[in-house]
């Protein structure tokens, strides 16, 4: 009878430990997936912002050449320069966010995200 109770308690403890392990696994999986989504979003935002920044750079260069040919005023060049700098700041901020998202996911998974992405291809 004593052995039967000990076996029953051991089985219950095992099932409780197994349930706790499964719950922890689900929490870790959700955390990794959430961090990966943040990383993907940050990566896309950097790509889009880079295109916008390049467009503003082209506008600036065009304004500078037009100014050299006396087609536009200095105010137009300054405005183009300000727009370009604003887009550069946004780009740097988004790049920092991407780097932070990358650090967060790599901290959780323990490997470089590039290695994981190479393995998926």
């Amino acid at each position: 009878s004593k052995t039967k109770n000990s076996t029953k308690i051991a089985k219950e403890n095992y099932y409780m430990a197994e349930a706790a392990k499964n719950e922890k696994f689900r929490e870790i999986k959700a955390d990794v997936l959430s961090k990966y989504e943040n990383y993907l979003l940050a990566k896309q935002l950097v790509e889009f912002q880079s295109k916008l920044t390049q467009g503003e750079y082209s506008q600036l260069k065009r304004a500078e050449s037009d100014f050299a040919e006396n087609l536009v005023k200095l105010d137009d060049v300054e405005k183009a320069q300000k727009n370009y700098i604003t887009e550069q700041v946004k780009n740097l901020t988004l790049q920092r966010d991407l780097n932070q998202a990358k650090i967060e996911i790599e901290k959780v998974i323990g490997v470089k995200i590039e290695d994981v992405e190479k393995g998926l291809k």
Side-chain angles (χ1 to χ4, degrees):
S1 172
K2 193 173 191 181
T3 305
K4 216 176 197 184
N5 283 340
S6 294
T7 303
K8 185 177 179 182
I9 291 170
K11 281 183 181 180
E12 287 177 15
N13 287 340
Y14 170 78
Y15 292 134
M16 288 172 41
E18 189 70 22
K21 181 183 89 170
N22 290 338
E23 178 62 26
K24 188 66 175 170
F25 173 78
R26 286 190 295 277
E27 287 174 9
I28 292 170
K29 182 178 178 181
D31 187 42
V32 168
L33 291 174
S34 175
K35 289 183 185 328
Y36 186 64
E37 286 297 319
N38 291 340
Y39 167 76
L40 291 177
L41 174 63
K43 190 174 179 180
Q44 272 301 110
L45 290 173
V46 166
E47 289 174 13
F48 290 144
Q49 185 60 44
S50 292
K51 290 177 183 177
L52 289 173
T53 303
Q54 284 297 325
E56 289 299 327
Y57 181 74
S58 296
Q59 291 284 357
L60 173 60
K61 289 300 171 188
R62 191 174 312 122
E64 287 175 345
S65 71
D66 287 349
F67 178 73
E69 296 175 13
N70 289 325
L71 298 174
V72 296
K73 296 181 180 180
L74 182 60
D75 290 344
D76 295 328
V77 175
E78 289 174 348
K79 182 180 177 185
Q81 187 175 36
K82 182 181 177 185
N83 289 344
Y84 174 62
I85 290 171
T86 300
E87 295 304 318
Q88 274 188 310
V89 169
K90 288 178 188 176
N91 196 34
L92 290 172
T93 302
L94 290 172
Q95 185 63 50
R96 183 209 56 208
D97 293 346
L98 173 61
N99 292 341
Q100 287 177 333
K102 184 177 169 184
I103 289 167
E104 285 297 314
I105 194 165
E106 287 177 353
K107 183 173 90 174
V108 174
I109 63 176
V111 295
K112 290 186 174 271
I113 191 69
E114 290 87 1
D115 295 342
V116 174
E117 290 176 331
K118 285 178 190 174
L120 294 176
K121 292 180 181 176

